[in-house]
Structure formats: structure tokens, C-alpha cells
Amino acid sequence: MGDDVLRCDRLRRTFGARVAVDDVSFRLAPGEVYGLLGPNGAGKTTTIKMVCGLLDPDGGTVTIGGRPARDDLSVRRMVGYVPQDVALYPDLTATENLAFLGRLYHLRGRELAARIDEALELTDLASRGGDRVDSFSGGMKRRLNIAAGLLHHPALLVLDEPTVGVDPQSRHAILERVDSFGRTGMSVLYTTHYMEEAERVCDRVGIIDHGRLIAEGTRRELVAELGQKDRIELAADGDLETLAAACRRTGGVERASVADGTVQLVAADGRRTLPAVIEAAEHAGVPVRSVDVTEPDLEAVFLHLTGTALRE
Amino acid sequence: MTVLAIARASLTRLVRDRTALFFLVVLPVLVIVLVGATVRGFSTWKVGVVDEGAGAAGQRLVAALDRSPDLAVDHYPTVRAMSTAIARGELNTGVVLPARMDEAERGGSRTSVGLVFEQANSSMQAAATAVAAVVRAEGVRVQAAQFATAQAGGTFATNLSQAARLEGRLPRAQVRTVAAQASSSILPEGFSYAAPTELVLFVFLSAVAGGAATVETRRLGIYERIVAAPVRPRDVIAGETLNYLVIALGQSLLIVAVGALAFGVSWGDPIAAALLLVCWSLVGAGAGMLAGTLFKTPEQASGIGPVVGITLGMLGGCMWPLAMVSPVMRQVGHATPQAWAVDAWTALLARGGTLATVLPDLAVLAGFAAVFLLLATHRLRHVLAG
Ligand SMILES: Nc1ncnc2c1ncn2[C@@H]1O[C@H](COP(=O)(O)OP(=O)(O)OP(=O)(O)O)[C@@H](O)[C@H]1O
Ligand SMILES: [Mg+2]
């Protein structure tokens, strides 16, 4: 525990009357990829900003490499911050942007040039270093945004929803990279509202909702919390909310919610519940088109814990 | 080091920003060249003359004006009639030959030739400059004749007695200064008024418009990135200040160079002028940075910035001399830093002012700069604190 790269203890932050982050505690071991999974407005970015020293917590502490993050500039060297929105100068080239940010970390000369090459290489942008950022695609900008956080070889890389608005191919590339960072010993704090991403790249996941960390653990641990439950996905033509409401009234269905054009259910025993669900759907006038019964995943965990789907 | 990195990134961006470069380089040079060309380009100026009884000396001066290829002389009975003609644009400038000019000249005492023109009008300023040049040249001739007569001694009894009186009363060095003079305007004539006021106008205007770059840095979230790095807020502030200062100084030097090299503008006492440039650049830097932290969008900065710059420029005497406006407006004008800068340039260029002359103006400008920079620093700290 002494060698945790990051420790957040009882972090709290309010904006006026709104509590954005409430009593959030978690820690990251070296080389660990930790995911903060939560819907829009859950408090992910606020948490990350407190970790990176951009916002002062109203309560609680952030400890990085065993040192309190507050007021200690040298601690910032250990952190690579990749903001949620691409923060790069569009009118400078990729290399110029990286050189500027690298200099802020006291890199210079040959070392700076080498780090820039390395960061561009790592994000598959090696051939585009001389191009202006405004000529980049959305995915390329996001990758360069990540490259900028890697320049100074941080012990902790903080990625705030790095795949938002990115095509599947770029997303795949980004996730691959995050995976490999963990293996090189870099710790990664990764926020997302995509359950699949959290499942895929994170060693451990903290589920955050309305500013509170409501569950934490490995995927296996979290799913185990559900017990022997199934996740049912219904596709139907008609009003999905009506369908979800009908399902909720059906025996055996614990949670029902609309997500991604489907109705997601958590049920104690999928196979036994299904006929009743289908019948309820017919009654409600929203006949089911197809059914998918799967093992529970983090989506189901979230649904189980909060009663709402991760994505509306 | 980080200070330089921050300034450098901003300056690199500036070089790529066409709108900013337009305000910074193209527009000021264009305006200077246009005004300069207008001022120099007219072939003849129409000069009105009112002779209030100047005698032979007056006639000599009118003849000299007539001989000048740039000037066409017209006689008017009264100053009033001539002023009306000037107001109607029929004349570019007017000359008032004072009564008993001849006696004064022969007596070796000072005499003043009046010049009438509208100071806000650059072609009138130029015409006045041309007339003043002829008057001065004539003055020197008269003076030389006086001196020669005095030196040669003895043909005319009157001349002799005059020469004797001159020699007896005045040491030689002072005799040289005795001449007909153009009544000294409180403003630098012609283009020498336009160039420094343009400097004052443009350096401020483009600094405020240039605040757009800071707004963008803010909106792009780059300050967050900077703050997440091991960089102190004061280094960010120093870097941005340096950036704005370099821009303002660079633009000042450009205008000084174009004015001096292309149009022969004299910028006055070098030390005083240099300090004035630095003070004004600091005012611009503070205003630019303040704009960068106050405006919400870059478009606001580049749209409203020039309007603010021009309005303050008008109030502060960049478009027309504050000597022409009502005392109230003059006071209002001096709430702007522009007025103090224009005052200082006027003192340097028209009255041969020195550092000592403009020190009070410089102090006021330094005060404006300090207030702007402090406010900007405060605002930027607020931005950096998230
Ligand atoms: N600067 C701010 N001023 C006021 N309220 C804020 C501010 N920043 C965040 N909030 C509020 O705090 C809550 C948490 O916001 P936060 O940005 O941390 O959420 P998030 O989990 O990152 O969401 P998203 O997935 O949309 O990025 C939200 O209700 C948001 O409106
Ligand atoms: Mg966020």
C-alpha cells in the first residue's frame, strides 16, 4: 500500500449546491489500469481534475507517489494528463504542440526531440508530425492528445474519456495502446461511460454515479456481486419505455431499462423469466422481435446497482 | 524556461494568424503609406494671405511663397474671410502677416507670422508644413542680410546705427535667432502628427484584438494542460505578458521604422521616445491580456477589440488633436491612456521635448500599464485556478 502510485481519500467537491464528487476513495498500484465507469455527469472529470491538481477538493486528499499532490509541483511531473476535450493548438503542427508541452516538463534539445518521436510513434502518428493539427481527423487529434500526455514518461497516465467521438478503428488503436501502457509499468486512470472499454482495458473498475463510487473491483468481482443472474436484451418495434415498464411488473425481472435501442433486463433466472416477459410484451402492445440472454456484464452490474442504464 | 516556452508557442501561432497579422502589420503600414502619400502627393497647396500691414518684409515673404512651386497664393482682406475659405476647403492653409513686421525685422526683434489651418486635417497639416518651411527660409535670409549689413558697416546711416545697436545690445550668437518665425504650433506639423498617433492607436488596438489568442488558449483547455504540468501560475502569467510585450514592441518598432525610413518622420529625443514606446507597449500588453481573460469567444475579441481601440483612440486624440475639442472632452479623453501617450509624443516631436518633459506622461502611462497588468494577472490566475 505504501507504493501506491495514486491514492484518493474521501474526495469531495461541490459546485454551489451541486455535489459533483462525494466521498470518493480509490487507489492505483504501479502498472495498474483503473477504470472510472459512470454515465454523463457522474463526476468522473471532476475527480480527475482533483487528481491532476486542476481543482482543489473541498474535502479529502490526493496522494501521488506517496506525496500529497497539493502545492507540490514536482508531483505533477509524475502525472500525464489527457483532458476529455482535445487540448491542442489547431494552428500548430503536431510536433510543435508536443514540443511546447514537452518544454513545460523541462524537456529540451535532443531529449525532447526523441520523446516527441517516441510519442508520435506510440500513437501511430509518426508520419504526420509536420502537419498542422487542424488538418487531422478527429481520431488523430485524440491520439495526439494522448501522445502529449506521454512525453515526459509519467508514472501515472490520466485519460479522461479518450475514445469519445472516435471511429471504431481509432478506438481500437487507442484501447490497444492503453493496454500496452499498463504492461510497461505505467499506471493508468481511465474514465469512460463505455462498459466494453472498461471491461476490456481495466484491471479494476470503480463504478461512479451521482458523484459516489458505488462499487469497485475486478470485472469478475463486480459481476459476482450480482449473484447468479442473467442479462436479457430485448429488441422490439414500438415504445421501448412502455415495454420496459411492462417488464418491470413481470415476476423475476429485477431491473429494466432502455439503452441503445434495446430494453435491458437483469433477471434472477433468465430462461425461466423469459416466457413471462414475452407475454407481458404482447399485452403491452410492443411485441419482442429478438431476445439475447447473456452472462451479466458491467452494464448489468450498473443496471443492478442504480436501476438505470449506463447510457440512455 | 517554461516562461519562454509559453511566449514562444503564442508567438508561433501569431505568425500563422492572418487576421492578427493584418491588424499588426498590414493595416498600420497601409494607413501610414496612405496618409504619407496623401500628405506628400498634392502638387500645389492653396495658401491664403492676410496682410495686416507687414510692409516690405511682408511683401518679400509673399513673393517667396509665390516662388515656391508647391504653393499658390491668394490674398484675403480679413482673417475671418480667410478662415471661412479654409473651413470650406477652398484653401489648404492661411498666413497672417502681422502689422509692423518690417520694422520689427529691421529692429532685429522677434516677429510672428500666423498660420491658420485645421489640425485634424492631414493635408492642411502638410500645407502648413510647406508654408512654415518657406517662412523659416525667408527668416534666415532676412537675418543674414541684417547680419551682413551690421558686419559690413557704414553705407547707410540708419543701417549703421541699427547695426551698432544690434551689436551693442546682442551677442552674435543671439542675433542668429532673431528672425521672422512661424507662430509655433503646439502640434507637430503634417505627417509627424499622424505617425505617432497611429502608433498609439494601432499598438493598443491590435493588442486588444490579439486577446483572441488568449481566449482561444483558454477555450481549448490548454491552460488546464499547462497547469497540470509542473508550471507555476506566475510563469504562465510571465509568459503571456512577454508574448504581448514582444508583439506590442515589434509593432511599435515597425511603425517607427516605416515612418522614419519611408517618410522621414523624426521621432524626437531617442531615450524619451524609447521609454515612451516601452511604456505604451506595456499598456498594450496589459490591455491585450485583460481582453484575453475577459472576452468569452475569440470572435468577440477580434470584433469588439478594434471597436474599443478606435473609440479610445478617438477620445484620446489619435484621430484629431485634443487641442481642438471642448475642455470637458479633453478631460474625458485623459481618462484614456491614449491621451497621455499622444501628449507625450506631441511634447517630444513639436516642442523638442526631452525625457524630463515627458516624465509625468510616462509615469501616468506606467500607472495605466500597472493597473491593466494587475487586473489581467488577477483574471488569469482565476482562469488558471479552474
Ligand atoms: N465548473 C463546474 N461548475 C458547475 N458545475 C460543474 C462544473 N464542473 C462539473 N460540474 C457538475 O458536476 C457534475 C459532475 O460533472 P463531471 O464533469 O465531473 O461529470 P463526468 O462524469 O465527467 O461527465 P461526462 O461523462 O459528461 O464527462 C455535473 O453535474 C456537472 O454539471
Ligand atoms: Mg467528463
Side-chain angles (χ1 to χ4, degrees), chain B residues 26-42:
Chain B
V26 181
L27 192 61
V29 170
L30 208 66
V31 171
I32 289 189
V33 168
L34 278 178
V35 171
T38 318
V39 166
R40 295 176 125 203
F42 273 85

Side-chain angles (χ1 to χ4, degrees), chain B residues 115-138:
Chain B
L115 279 183
V116 185
F117 64 101
E118 286 174 9
Q119 280 164 339
N121 184 319
S122 56
S123 61
M124 288 202 188
Q125 287 171 14
T129 311
V131 170
V134 173
V135 174
R136 278 204 203 94
E138 187 59 22

Side-chain angles (χ1 to χ4, degrees), chain A residues 15 18-21 38-47 55 84 160-161 193 208:
Chain A
F15 294 105
R18 176 178 291 131
V19 182
V21 170
N40 290 135
K44 304 183 294 294
T45 299
T46 307
T47 304
L55 274 179
Q84 180 166 352
D160 195 358
E161 304 205 32
H193 59 258
I208 186 169

